[in-house]
Coordinates of all heavy atoms in Angstrom, one line a residue:
M1081 N 161.1 115.4 124.9 CA 160.9 115.8 126.2 C 162.2 116.2 126.9 O 162.3 117.2 127.5 CB 160.3 114.7 127.0 CG 160.1 114.9 128.5 SD 158.6 115.9 128.7 CE 158.7 116.2 130.5
F1082 N 163.3 115.4 126.6 CA 164.6 115.7 127.1 C 165.2 116.9 126.5 O 166.1 117.6 127.0 CB 165.5 114.5 127.1 CG 165.0 113.4 128.0 CD1 164.5 112.3 127.4 CD2 165.1 113.5 129.3 CE1 164.0 111.3 128.2 CE2 164.6 112.5 130.2 CZ 164.1 111.4 129.6
G1083 N 164.9 117.2 125.2 CA 165.4 118.3 124.5 C 164.6 119.6 124.7 O 164.8 120.6 124.0
L1084 N 163.8 119.6 125.7 CA 162.9 120.7 125.9 C 163.6 122.0 126.2 O 163.3 123.1 125.6 CB 161.9 120.4 127.1 CG 160.8 121.5 127.3 CD1 159.9 121.6 126.1 CD2 160.0 121.1 128.6
F1085 N 164.7 122.0 126.9 CA 165.4 123.2 127.3 C 166.7 123.3 126.6 O 167.6 124.1 126.9 CB 165.6 123.2 128.8 CG 164.3 123.2 129.6 CD1 163.9 122.1 130.3 CD2 163.6 124.4 129.6 CE1 162.7 122.2 131.0 CE2 162.4 124.4 130.3 CZ 161.9 123.3 131.0
K1086 N 166.9 122.5 125.6 CA 168.2 122.5 124.8 C 168.2 123.7 123.9 O 167.2 124.0 123.2 CB 168.3 121.2 124.0 CG 169.5 121.2 123.1 CD 169.5 120.0 122.2 CE 170.7 120.1 121.3 NZ 170.5 119.4 120.0
K1087 N 169.2 124.5 124.0 CA 169.4 125.7 123.2 C 169.8 125.3 121.8 O 170.6 124.3 121.6 CB 170.4 126.6 123.8 CG 169.9 127.3 125.0 CD 170.8 128.4 125.5 CE 170.3 129.0 126.8 NZ 171.2 130.1 127.2
K1088 N 169.3 126.0 120.8 CA 169.7 125.7 119.4 C 171.1 126.3 119.1 O 171.5 127.3 119.6 CB 168.7 126.3 118.5 CG 167.4 125.7 118.5 CD 166.4 126.3 117.5 CE 165.1 125.7 117.6 NZ 164.2 126.2 116.6
S1089 N 171.9 125.5 118.4 CA 173.2 126.0 118.0 C 173.0 127.1 117.0 O 172.0 127.3 116.4 CB 174.0 124.9 117.4 OG 173.5 124.5 116.2
E1090 N 174.1 127.8 116.7 CA 174.1 128.9 115.7 C 173.8 128.3 114.4 O 173.1 129.0 113.6 CB 175.5 129.6 115.7 CG 175.6 130.8 114.9 CD 174.8 132.0 115.4 OE1 174.5 132.1 116.6 OE2 174.3 132.8 114.6
L1091 N 174.3 127.2 114.1 CA 174.1 126.5 112.8 C 172.6 126.2 112.6 O 172.0 126.5 111.5 CB 174.9 125.2 112.7 CG 174.8 124.5 111.3 CD1 175.3 125.4 110.2 CD2 175.6 123.2 111.4
E1092 N 171.9 125.7 113.6 CA 170.5 125.4 113.5 C 169.7 126.7 113.4 O 168.7 126.7 112.6 CB 170.1 124.7 114.8 CG 170.6 123.2 114.9 CD 170.3 122.6 116.3 OE1 170.2 123.3 117.3 OE2 170.1 121.4 116.3
K1093 N 170.1 127.7 114.0 CA 169.3 129.0 113.9 C 169.5 129.5 112.5 O 168.5 130.0 111.9 CB 169.9 130.0 114.8 CG 169.6 129.8 116.3 CD 170.2 130.8 117.2 CE 170.0 130.5 118.6 NZ 170.7 131.5 119.5
L1094 N 170.7 129.4 111.9 CA 170.9 129.9 110.5 C 170.1 129.1 109.5 O 169.6 129.6 108.5 CB 172.4 129.9 110.2 CG 173.2 131.1 110.9 CD1 174.7 130.9 110.6 CD2 172.7 132.4 110.4
Q1095 N 170.1 127.8 109.7 CA 169.4 126.9 108.8 C 167.9 127.2 108.8 O 167.2 127.2 107.8 CB 169.6 125.4 109.2 CG 171.0 124.9 108.9 CD 171.3 123.6 109.4 OE1 170.7 123.1 110.3 NE2 172.3 122.9 108.8
E1096 N 167.3 127.4 110.0 CA 165.9 127.8 110.1 C 165.6 129.2 109.4 O 164.6 129.3 108.7 CB 165.4 127.9 111.5 CG 165.2 126.5 112.2 CD 164.7 126.6 113.6 OE1 164.2 127.7 114.0 OE2 164.7 125.6 114.3
K1097 N 166.6 130.1 109.6 CA 166.4 131.4 108.9 C 166.5 131.3 107.4 O 165.7 131.9 106.7 CB 167.5 132.3 109.5 CG 167.4 133.8 109.0 CD 168.4 134.7 109.6 CE 168.3 136.1 109.1 NZ 169.3 137.0 109.7
Y1098 N 167.4 130.4 106.9 CA 167.5 130.2 105.5 C 166.3 129.6 104.9 O 165.8 130.0 103.9 CB 168.7 129.3 105.3 CG 168.9 128.9 103.8 CD1 169.4 129.8 102.9 CD2 168.5 127.6 103.4 CE1 169.6 129.4 101.6 CE2 168.7 127.2 102.1 CZ 169.2 128.2 101.1 OH 169.3 127.8 99.8
K1099 N 165.7 128.6 105.6 CA 164.5 127.9 105.2 C 163.3 128.9 105.1 O 162.6 129.0 104.1 CB 164.2 126.8 106.1 CG 163.0 126.0 105.7 CD 162.7 124.8 106.6 CE 161.4 124.1 106.2 NZ 161.1 123.1 107.1
K1100 N 163.2 129.8 106.1 CA 162.2 130.8 106.2 C 162.3 131.8 105.0 O 161.3 132.1 104.4 CB 162.2 131.5 107.5 CG 161.1 132.5 107.7 CD 161.3 133.2 109.0 CE 160.4 134.4 109.1 NZ 160.9 135.5 109.9
L1101 N 163.5 132.2 104.8 CA 163.7 133.2 103.7 C 163.4 132.6 102.3 O 162.8 133.3 101.5 CB 165.1 133.8 103.7 CG 165.4 134.7 104.9 CD1 166.9 135.0 104.9 CD2 164.7 136.0 104.7
M1102 N 163.8 131.4 102.1 CA 163.5 130.7 100.9 C 162.0 130.5 100.6 O 161.5 130.7 99.5 CB 164.2 129.3 100.8 CG 165.7 129.4 100.7 SD 166.3 130.3 99.2 CE 165.9 129.1 98.0
E1103 N 161.3 130.2 101.7 CA 159.8 130.0 101.6 C 159.2 131.3 101.3 O 158.3 131.4 100.4 CB 159.2 129.4 102.9 CG 159.6 128.0 103.1 CD 159.1 127.4 104.4 OE1 158.6 128.2 105.3 OE2 159.3 126.2 104.7
E1104 N 159.6 132.4 102.0 CA 159.0 133.7 101.7 C 159.3 134.2 100.3 O 158.5 134.7 99.6 CB 159.6 134.8 102.7 CG 159.1 134.6 104.1 CD 159.8 135.6 105.1 OE1 160.6 136.4 104.6 OE2 159.4 135.5 106.3
G1105 N 160.5 133.9 99.8 CA 160.9 134.2 98.4 C 160.1 133.5 97.4 O 159.6 134.1 96.4
F1106 N 159.8 132.3 97.7 CA 159.0 131.5 96.8 C 157.5 132.0 96.7 O 156.9 132.1 95.7 CB 159.0 130.0 97.2 CG 158.1 129.1 96.4 CD1 158.6 128.7 95.1 CD2 156.9 128.6 96.8 CE1 157.9 127.9 94.3 CE2 156.2 127.8 96.0 CZ 156.6 127.5 94.7
K1107 N 157.0 132.4 97.9 CA 155.6 132.9 97.9 C 155.5 134.2 97.2 O 154.5 134.5 96.6 CB 155.2 133.0 99.4 CG 154.9 131.7 100.0 CD 154.5 131.9 101.5 CE 154.4 130.5 102.2 NZ 154.1 130.7 103.6
L1108 N 156.6 135.0 97.3 CA 156.5 136.4 96.7 C 156.8 136.3 95.2 O 156.6 137.3 94.5 CB 157.6 137.3 97.4 CG 157.3 137.8 98.7 CD1 158.5 138.5 99.3 CD2 156.1 138.7 98.7
Q1109 N 157.3 135.2 94.7 CA 157.7 135.0 93.3 C 156.5 135.4 92.4 O 156.8 136.0 91.4 CB 158.1 133.6 93.1 CG 159.0 133.4 91.9 CD 159.7 132.1 91.9 OE1 159.2 131.2 92.6 NE2 160.7 131.9 91.2
S1110 N 155.3 135.0 92.7 CA 154.2 135.3 91.8 C 153.6 136.7 92.0 O 152.8 137.2 91.2 CB 153.1 134.2 91.9 OG 152.6 134.2 93.2
I1111 N 153.9 137.3 93.1 CA 153.3 138.6 93.5 C 154.2 139.7 93.1 O 153.8 140.7 92.4 CB 153.0 138.6 95.0 CG1 152.0 137.5 95.4 CG2 152.4 140.0 95.4 CD1 151.8 137.3 96.8
N1112 N 155.4 139.7 93.6 CA 156.3 140.8 93.5 C 157.7 140.3 93.3 O 158.4 139.8 94.2 CB 156.3 141.7 94.7 CG 157.0 143.0 94.5 OD1 157.9 143.1 93.6 ND2 156.7 144.0 95.3
R1113 N 158.2 140.3 92.0 CA 159.5 139.7 91.7 C 160.7 140.3 92.4 O 161.6 139.7 92.8 CB 159.6 139.7 90.1 CG 160.8 139.0 89.6 CD 160.7 137.5 89.9 NE 161.9 136.9 89.5 CZ 162.2 135.6 89.6 NH1 161.3 134.8 90.2 NH2 163.3 135.1 89.2
S1114 N 160.6 141.7 92.5 CA 161.8 142.3 93.1 C 161.9 142.0 94.6 O 163.0 141.8 95.1 CB 161.7 143.8 92.9 OG 160.6 144.4 93.5
D1115 N 160.8 141.9 95.3 CA 160.8 141.5 96.7 C 161.3 140.0 96.8 O 162.0 139.7 97.8 CB 159.4 141.6 97.4 CG 159.1 143.1 97.6 OD1 160.0 144.0 97.6 OD2 157.9 143.4 97.9
S1116 N 160.9 139.2 95.9 CA 161.3 137.8 95.9 C 162.8 137.7 95.7 O 163.5 137.0 96.4 CB 160.6 137.1 94.7 OG 161.1 135.8 94.6
D1117 N 163.3 138.5 94.8 CA 164.8 138.5 94.5 C 165.5 139.0 95.8 O 166.6 138.4 96.1 CB 165.1 139.4 93.3 CG 164.6 138.8 92.0 OD1 164.4 137.6 92.0 OD2 164.6 139.6 91.0
Q1118 N 165.0 139.9 96.5 CA 165.6 140.4 97.7 C 165.7 139.3 98.8 O 166.7 139.2 99.4 CB 164.9 141.6 98.2 CG 165.5 142.3 99.5 CD 166.9 142.8 99.2 OE1 167.2 143.3 98.1 NE2 167.7 142.7 100.2
K1119 N 164.6 138.6 98.9 CA 164.6 137.5 99.9 C 165.6 136.4 99.5 O 166.3 135.9 100.4 CB 163.2 136.8 100.0 CG 162.1 137.7 100.6 CD 162.4 137.9 102.1 CE 161.3 138.8 102.7 NZ 161.5 139.1 104.1
Y1120 N 165.7 136.1 98.2 CA 166.7 135.1 97.8 C 168.1 135.6 98.0 O 169.0 134.8 98.4 CB 166.5 134.8 96.3 CG 165.3 133.9 96.0 CD1 164.4 134.1 95.1 CD2 165.1 132.7 96.8 CE1 163.3 133.3 94.8 CE2 164.1 131.9 96.6 CZ 163.2 132.1 95.6 OH 162.1 131.3 95.4
L1121 N 168.4 136.9 97.9 CA 169.7 137.5 98.2 C 170.0 137.3 99.7 O 171.1 137.0 100.0 CB 169.8 138.9 97.7 CG 169.9 139.2 96.3 CD1 169.9 140.7 96.0 CD2 171.2 138.6 95.7
E1122 N 169.0 137.6 100.5 CA 169.2 137.5 101.9 C 169.5 136.0 102.3 O 170.3 135.7 103.1 CB 168.0 138.0 102.7 CG 167.8 139.5 102.6 CD 166.5 139.9 103.3 OE1 166.0 139.2 104.2 OE2 166.0 140.9 102.9
A1123 N 168.7 135.1 101.7 CA 168.9 133.7 101.9 C 170.3 133.2 101.5 O 171.0 132.4 102.1 CB 167.9 132.9 101.2
D1124 N 170.8 133.8 100.4 CA 172.1 133.4 99.9 C 173.2 133.9 100.9 O 174.2 133.2 101.1 CB 172.4 134.1 98.5 CG 173.7 133.6 97.9 OD1 173.9 132.4 97.9 OD2 174.5 134.5 97.4
A1125 N 173.0 135.1 101.5 CA 174.0 135.5 102.5 C 174.0 134.6 103.7 O 175.0 134.3 104.3 CB 173.6 137.0 102.9
V1126 N 172.8 134.2 104.1 CA 172.7 133.2 105.2 C 173.4 131.9 104.9 O 174.0 131.3 105.7 CB 171.2 133.0 105.7 CG1 171.1 131.9 106.7 CG2 170.6 134.3 106.2
L1127 N 173.2 131.5 103.7 CA 173.8 130.2 103.2 C 175.3 130.3 103.3 O 176.0 129.4 103.7 CB 173.3 129.9 101.8 CG 173.9 128.6 101.2 CD1 173.4 127.4 102.1 CD2 173.4 128.4 99.8
K1128 N 175.8 131.4 102.9 CA 177.3 131.6 103.0 C 177.8 131.6 104.4 O 178.9 131.0 104.7 CB 177.7 133.0 102.3 CG 177.6 132.9 100.8 CD 177.9 134.2 100.2 CE 177.7 134.1 98.7 NZ 177.9 135.4 98.0
Q1129 N 177.0 132.1 105.4 CA 177.3 132.0 106.8 C 177.3 130.6 107.3 O 178.2 130.2 108.0 CB 176.4 132.8 107.6 CG 176.5 134.3 107.5 CD 175.5 135.1 108.3 OE1 174.5 134.5 108.7 NE2 175.7 136.4 108.4
I1130 N 176.3 129.8 106.8 CA 176.2 128.4 107.1 C 177.4 127.6 106.7 O 178.0 126.9 107.4 CB 174.9 127.8 106.6 CG1 173.7 128.4 107.3 CG2 174.9 126.3 106.7 CD1 172.4 128.0 106.7
E1131 N 177.8 127.9 105.4 CA 179.0 127.2 104.8 C 180.3 127.6 105.6 O 181.1 126.7 105.8 CB 179.1 127.6 103.4 CG 178.1 126.9 102.5 CD 178.1 127.4 101.1 OE1 178.8 128.4 100.8 OE2 177.4 126.9 100.2
A1132 N 180.4 128.8 106.0 CA 181.5 129.3 106.8 C 181.6 128.6 108.1 O 182.7 128.2 108.6 CB 181.5 130.8 107.0
L1133 N 180.5 128.4 108.8 CA 180.4 127.7 110.1 C 180.8 126.2 109.9 O 181.4 125.6 110.8 CB 179.0 127.8 110.7 CG 178.7 129.1 111.4 CD1 177.3 129.1 112.0 CD2 179.7 129.3 112.6
Q1134 N 180.4 125.6 108.8 CA 180.7 124.2 108.6 C 182.1 123.9 108.3 O 182.5 122.8 108.5 CB 179.8 123.6 107.5 CG 178.3 123.6 107.9 CD 177.4 123.1 106.8 OE1 177.8 123.1 105.7 NE2 176.2 122.6 107.2
K1135 N 182.9 124.9 107.9 CA 184.3 124.7 107.6 C 185.2 124.7 108.8 O 184.9 125.1 109.9 CB 184.8 125.7 106.6 CG 184.2 125.4 105.2 CD 184.8 126.4 104.2 CE 184.1 126.1 102.9 NZ 184.7 127.0 101.9

């Protein structure tokens, strides 16, 4: 209730984006391998941004 209007930090936004991309990549893995690889590459780029923010 108290966190209702709390804005998400940049780190939290990136973590959610990373999780979403990984889930999409996993779902696409059995359907279209090249699209799945693309999602994993995007997720890797987001992970690098997360690591840069944590340093």
Side-chain angles (χ1 to χ4, degrees):
M1081 178 80 183
F1082 294 107
L1084 185 62
F1085 298 107
K1086 179 185 172 204
K1087 292 186 179 183
K1088 293 183 181 180
S1089 70
E1090 187 68 27
L1091 182 62
E1092 290 172 329
K1093 289 179 187 177
L1094 287 173
Q1095 287 172 337
E1096 285 185 14
K1097 185 175 181 180
Y1098 175 75
K1099 182 179 176 184
K1100 180 182 168 209
L1101 287 170
M1102 290 299 287
E1103 288 173 356
E1104 289 175 2
F1106 180 75
K1107 289 177 185 175
L1108 286 171
Q1109 201 168 19
S1110 61
I1111 300 169
N1112 188 340
R1113 187 65 185 175
S1114 62
D1115 286 346
S1116 173
D1117 290 343
Q1118 182 63 35
K1119 291 292 180 182
Y1120 283 132
L1121 284 174
E1122 291 175 26
D1124 187 48
V1126 172
L1127 182 61
K1128 288 178 183 177
Q1129 290 178 344
I1130 290 171
E1131 290 173 349
L1133 280 177
Q1134 288 178 341
K1135 290 185 180 181

